[in-house]
Amino acid sequence: MIETLTPLSDQQRAVQQLAKDFATRELAPFAGAWDKASEQDPTVIGKLGALGFLGMLLPEEYGGMGLDTLSYLLALEEIAAADASTAVAMSVHNSLPTKMILAFGSDAQKREFLPRMATGEWLGAFALSEADAGSDASALRAQAVRDGDDWILDGTKVWVTNGNRAQVIVAMVRTDSPEHRLGSRGVSAFIITPDLAGFKVGKKEDKMGLRASPTVQIAFDGMRVPASRLLGTEGQGFIYSMQSLESGRLGIAAQAIGIARAAAEHAIAYAKERHQFGKPLTAFQAVEFKLADMATKLHAARALLHTTAAAKDRGENVGAHAAMSKLFASETAMWITNQAIQVFGGYGYVTDYPVERLFRDAKITEIYEGASEIQRIVIGRAVAAS
């Protein structure tokens, strides 16, 4: 593929190369096997942490790398191009639980959790959705009731990435009264650890894609949580989560771009090698046009994401642009992986070649951390208000 036109600093290029080398050596050779087994090598998370990839956005005082958003997204694209299942673990950890504790946690909470999360000793997860509260996350029902110096939590969360292997889970739970609901203002954030009595891991989902990334249900059954684990101010959890999803959407966009890039690279290599009617596939205009459109869409998605990342690092409000980045990158990933299968023909439909896995992995980027329809609502409202 044509290299990016984005001017990168020496540090950004070094981070990008570090991620590429790790992904090439430790992820790409095994991604297909992990997908088939629906299980990842358990040492991968530790290796990510040892290289600093689980504390990229955390300040150095908490053991993080203190890097800019673009550096993080460059690394994430490289990881996703090799194995999307690893990328989603890295994305969720960096953009949601760690960022939320950093932004809204007390000094004691930051000292207790962030250093171990930065090194990968503790993996983070985020629990928002419920069976009847997906896109309308403010409709969640999991309940917390104050009992002296503790909160008693009851309820079930679904679609929790890393939920069965995380040591730190930031969970959204109602703290208002069932008789007097306050809507989104009745939701609070709690820092949950699996050692708490009443914490239970439920069903592991059998997914179409990202099969090596565990997605589980978690349940709180009379779980007693110390009041010191309330994150930030009571009743502000939903607001915290919406603010944090901005970073999450950038991460998913980078993941989608990595998946799309890998599919395009496989398609180009195959089209050069595969001959029909005495000529390589690249000699046929129909294939050549597909490759041209792949490259164009991929570069447009990356340019939008990188521009948004730079604006975020300048302190600008990028809510709508984060939504645009995720929307365009995820739909680009679906389009490119679909076209890559078409280039491969029948071979693209079998598991001997990686493009079918990339196609399956791409689909979820249009759904999680805000479905494409939700992104269009965010963008549309911003446009109407301008």
Side-chain angles (χ1 to χ4, degrees), residues 53 77 97 115 186 202 229 253 262 273 276 287 290 299 347 355 362 372:
F53 290 138
E77 178 186 328
R229 294 283 187 86
E273 297 171 0
Q276 292 286 280
V287 174
K290 288 184 187 296
H299 280 273
Y347 291 118
V355 288
S372 294

Side-chain angles (χ1 to χ4, degrees), residues 41-346:
D41 182 343
T43 67
V44 168
I45 296 300
K47 292 175 181 178
L48 283 173
L51 290 173
F53 290 138
L54 297 181
M56 298 188 75
L57 301 175
L58 290 175
E60 294 180 7
E61 65 179 298
Y62 298 116
M65 298 178 72
L67 295 175
D68 59 286
T69 304
L70 181 54
S71 294
Y72 161 63
L73 298 176
L74 290 167
L76 190 56
E77 178 186 328
E78 295 299 332
I79 299 299
D83 180 39
S85 290
T86 300
V88 70
M90 176 177 162
S91 175
V92 169
H93 176 92
N94 273 289
S95 64
L96 292 168
T98 54
K99 288 285 285 184
M100 291 181 74
I101 294 173
L102 177 65
F104 309 113
S106 66
D107 289 340
Q109 288 171 340
K110 293 176 186 178
R111 290 193 301 269
E112 179 179 1
F113 294 104
L114 293 183
R116 290 182 175 182
M117 295 178 79
T119 62
E121 179 183 354
W122 286 354
L123 182 64
F126 179 66
L128 174 63
S129 296
E130 297 179 5
D132 296 320
S135 295
D136 182 12
S138 64
L140 58 86
R141 296 180 180 179
Q143 185 71 49
V145 178
R146 187 66 182 259
D147 182 27
D149 292 333
D150 297 328
W151 290 87
I152 309 299
L153 273 60
D154 288 281
T156 301
K157 294 292 181 180
V158 300
W159 312 123
V160 184
T161 299
N162 300 331
N164 61 341
R165 60 178 179 172
Q167 291 78 30
V168 182
I169 303 171
V170 174
M172 302 297 114
V173 182
R174 303 210 72 91
T175 50
D176 55 2
S177 167
E179 293 78 24
H180 300 92
R181 289 302 193 199
L182 301 176
S184 62
R185 295 284 179 176
V187 177
S188 299
F190 289 87
I191 303 173
I192 305 301
T193 51
D195 60 306
L196 295 171
F199 175 87
K200 299 178 180 180
V201 175
K203 175 187 176 184
K204 180 182 177 182
E205 304 295 344
D206 187 10
K207 307 192 301 294
M208 177 174 70
L210 298 187
R211 293 184 60 81
S213 169
T215 302
V216 301
Q217 296 179 5
I218 59 173
F220 313 137
D221 184 9
M223 185 173 66
R224 188 172 289 271
V225 180
S228 61
R229 294 283 187 86
L230 176 69
L231 182 62
T233 304
E234 182 180 342
Q236 296 295 299
F238 183 76
I239 295 173
Y240 296 161
S241 66
M242 292 301 103
Q243 292 175 354
S244 300
L245 282 173
E246 179 182 288
S247 295
R249 286 166 179 166
L250 295 179
I252 301 306
Q255 181 189 1
I257 290 169
I259 294 169
R261 190 189 91 196
E265 289 173 348
H266 283 298
I268 292 168
Y270 182 81
K272 289 179 179 179
E273 297 171 0
R274 175 73 167 172
H275 283 66
Q276 292 286 280
F277 306 102
K279 297 184 291 184
L281 293 185
T282 50
F284 296 91
Q285 191 177 72
V287 174
E288 189 178 44
F289 280 8
K290 288 184 187 296
L291 301 182
D293 287 343
M294 286 181 187
T296 302
K297 290 176 182 290
L298 182 60
H299 280 273
R302 187 184 288 120
L304 175 57
L305 177 63
H306 289 189
T307 300
T308 303
K312 180 176 176 61
D313 285 332
R314 292 194 299 268
E316 298 175 20
N317 181 354
V318 297
H321 286 85
M324 291 179 190
S325 296
K326 181 186 182 296
L327 174 66
F328 189 72
S330 62
E331 294 190 347
T332 293
M334 275 307 300
W335 188 88
I336 288 179
T337 55
N338 186 36
Q339 295 304 310
I341 290 175
Q342 201 70 16
V343 170
F344 273 77

